[in-house]
Amino acid sequence: MEPDRAPVPQARINEMIRAPKVRLVDDDGSQIGVKDTNEAREYAWAKNLDLVEVAAQADPPVAKVMDYGKYRYEQEQKAKLARKHQVSVNIKEIKLRPKIGIHDYNTKKGHVQRFLNQRAKVKVTIMFRGREQAHPERGRDLLMRLAEDVKEIGQIESPPLQDGRNMIMVLGPTKNAGVARDDAKAEDTQRREEAVQGDGNGQAASPQGDEESPAREEVG
């Protein structure tokens, strides 16, 4: 849980200021000049305010007359607001082969859908080996098919790009991602069952990953 107050740097105030002299700035921003620290402190207290060191590295340090409690509160609110607007980017990765079988493809697609519904970005990598590198269009077609299959919850943030022996595409969640996770899960389960029922003898292919027998049905 995010704390009510985000930490902000602690400044030296009043008796905590160690420098013998400071460059004094009044509470309205006007420059008063270099003053003995004790004199500057008395000047601030006479206004029922604090003397706050705002530039410790300067020579002499810069100190400003202000209501430190109010200043501290404003800085904490700014820090809290900045933290709220920070985007935590969570990237998952899925790897495919150009000659992936239909059952493996559906499994990988299910992972992509799950990640997108978790509001994560998905880096999809096509791994080419040997002669497969001569046909990069096959990997591109596979990536675009995947993007089309998950378009309700995922959008292309980085189109398919060749990176050495790999081809990479990045998908990001749409505003619909994660809205109806239970429905998406039920639909995915139904698709898996239909795939099993339509597989010849009604048996699913063994989950051997991308290296299973070439006799399997491939994604067209």
Side-chain angles (χ1 to χ4, degrees), residues 44-154:
W45 288 349
K47 290 191 169 189
N48 199 28
L49 295 172
D50 300 297
L51 184 66
V52 182
E53 189 178 62
V54 295
Q57 302 304 319
D59 186 19
V62 179
K64 186 174 182 179
V65 177
M66 67 174 73
D67 182 342
Y68 183 67
K70 180 180 178 181
Y71 169 78
R72 178 80 177 174
Y73 175 78
E74 291 174 349
Q75 293 301 307
E76 288 170 346
Q77 293 305 305
K78 289 179 181 178
K80 185 176 180 180
L81 186 62
R83 289 182 60 191
K84 184 181 295 185
H85 285 84
Q86 284 180 348
V87 178
S88 179
V89 180
N90 186 15
I91 299 180
K92 304 290 187 178
E93 183 172 14
I94 290 291
K95 295 183 178 181
L96 308 175
R97 292 291 308 283
K99 296 182 179 181
I100 188 172
I102 186 65
H103 294 292
D104 287 338
Y105 172 81
N106 286 334
T107 298
K108 301 280 188 176
K109 180 176 68 176
H111 293 327
V112 172
Q113 291 171 325
R114 176 164 55 87
F115 293 148
L116 290 171
N117 277 320
Q118 293 172 351
R119 307 298 302 174
K121 293 186 179 183
V122 184
K123 176 182 176 183
V124 186
T125 302
I126 300 290
M127 301 179 296
F128 296 98
R129 295 179 183 175
R131 297 179 180 178
E132 294 174 349
Q133 299 179 62
H135 301 282
E137 69 281 354
R138 183 159 191 171
R140 186 175 292 104
D141 291 344
L142 181 58
L143 290 174
M144 296 309 296
R145 171 176 176 172
L146 177 62
E148 177 67 19
D149 287 347
V150 301
K151 66 180 181 181
E152 292 299 322
I153 58 174

Side-chain angles (χ1 to χ4, degrees), residues 159-173:
L161 295 175
Q162 191 79 29
D163 181 17
R165 295 196 300 176
N166 298 330
M167 182 174 289
I168 297 171
M169 176 181 71
V170 177
L171 296 172

